[in-house]
Amino acid sequence: DAGVIQSPRHEVTEMGQEVTLRCKPISGHNSLFWYRQTMMRGLELLIYFNNNVPIDDSGMPEDRFSAKMPNASFSTLKIQPSEPRDSAVYFCASSFPRLAGSQALDTQYFGPGTRLTVL
Amino acid sequence: GDSVTQMEGPVTLSEEAFLTINCTYTATGYPSLFWYVQYPGEGLQLLLKATKADDKGSNKGFEATYRKETTSFHLEKGSVQVSDSAVYFCALSVTTGGNQFYFGTGTSLTVIP
């Protein structure tokens, strides 16, 4: 099992440029999450998909951020235009369908993250 | 609303010391509870979990018991090692609502030889 795959692992760009982060979830997982982690704000949930449909995007900071999940094996997080305050580590995570006998979500499996630096 | 509150860090311990990191939660319904660990430069990974009251999760010498009466899920280890140095996150999964997985703020642990 390759785990959650994210690309690129590191991205350095200039303010105003478009940035696209990519994620391939674990096969068979039907929930996908995008998080942002900074020293100041900790781990923040940006958006959550279930069966490729966005369920909760209340964490997306502003219109410059958008996320898509065109199929069960691929998702993108796009920032356009990027700003220095977007510099952070962005994690993608996926999880199985709900725990047996429960409506609660099961364990999330995280990718290695993309470290984004906007100059 | 639903949330987890965990002990502020950073925590510094000597090798072989006893570790406790406190975590309490607020949730509707019947949440599942998790501890995740993040080693430097890596993503979060599951350390242990418990899905119902009185369950004990355990892994790599770490334990946590789901206490409904005190709404707690404290992480413990009897003898820490330098390799346990990491950031530990408490999390819960709830049964209702759109944002259904909540992480605590993380507690940084440094173990010194």
Side-chain angles (χ1 to χ4, degrees):
Chain A
D1 186 352
V4 175
I5 299 172
Q6 291 187 248
S7 64
R9 292 295 309 277
H10 302 274
E11 176 80 28
V12 180
T13 190
E14 292 188 346
M15 182 173 64
Q17 297 298 306
E18 177 180 295
V19 175
T20 299
L21 310 181
R22 296 172 176 79
C23 175
K24 176 178 170 55
I26 293 173
S27 178
H29 286 192
N30 71 340
S31 293
L32 184 139
F33 307 78
W34 281 101
Y35 291 90
R36 177 172 68 177
Q37 187 177 42
T38 61
M39 289 293 292
M40 290 294 293
R41 301 173 68 93
L43 190 67
E44 302 173 276
L45 176 67
L46 300 177
I47 188 168
Y48 151 46
F49 291 87
N50 189 47
N51 292 323
N52 311 337
V53 176
I55 301 301
D56 183 356
D57 65 354
S58 59
M60 296 287 263
E62 49 197 275
D63 292 346
R64 297 185 297 107
F65 285 69
S66 62
K68 294 182 179 179
M69 192 166 186
N71 58 62
S73 59
F74 184 66
S75 177
T76 59
L77 177 67
K78 184 177 294 186
I79 308 172
Q80 166 63 17
S82 58
E83 297 182 3
R85 61 191 168 119
D86 301 330
S87 297
V89 181
Y90 291 81
F91 289 104
C92 175
S94 67
S95 71
F96 283 115
R98 297 177 185 277
L99 287 161
S102 167
Q103 288 301 304
L105 289 171
D106 202 346
T107 305
Q108 292 190 20
Y109 293 81
F110 281 73
T114 295
R115 182 173 295 278
L116 173 65
T117 302
V118 183
L119 303 174
Chain B
D2 303 313
S3 66
V4 289
T5 302
Q6 65 180 100
M7 182 172 133
E8 292 282 335
V11 174
T12 302
L13 295 174
S14 296
E15 205 165 22
E16 300 184 0
F18 184 85
L19 168 71
T20 299
I21 300 178
N22 290 338
C23 172
T24 57
Y25 68 89
T26 302
T28 54
Y30 303 95
S32 296
L33 299 170
F34 305 80
W35 277 101
Y36 282 78
V37 59
Q38 184 179 29
Y39 298 104
E42 299 183 9
L44 280 71
Q45 55 185 275
L46 178 70
L47 180 59
L48 52 84
K49 71 180 182 184
T51 58
K52 61 183 186 295
D54 300 324
D55 270 2
K56 178 186 282 188
S58 61
N59 186 24
K60 300 181 181 179
F62 291 89
E63 292 184 340
T65 302
Y66 186 157
R67 302 280 189 203
K68 190 175 181 181
E69 63 275 14
T70 54
T71 62
S72 66
F73 193 55
H74 304 322
L75 182 68
E76 297 182 335
K77 186 174 185 182
S79 176
V80 293
Q81 305 300 312
V82 172
S83 56
D84 294 326
S85 299
V87 180
Y88 292 83
F89 292 86
C90 185
L92 72 83
S93 172
V94 296
T95 59
T96 57
N99 183 358
Q100 297 177 313
F101 214 102
Y102 300 88
F103 282 89
T105 54
T107 301
S108 176
L109 169 67
T110 300
V111 180
I112 53 178

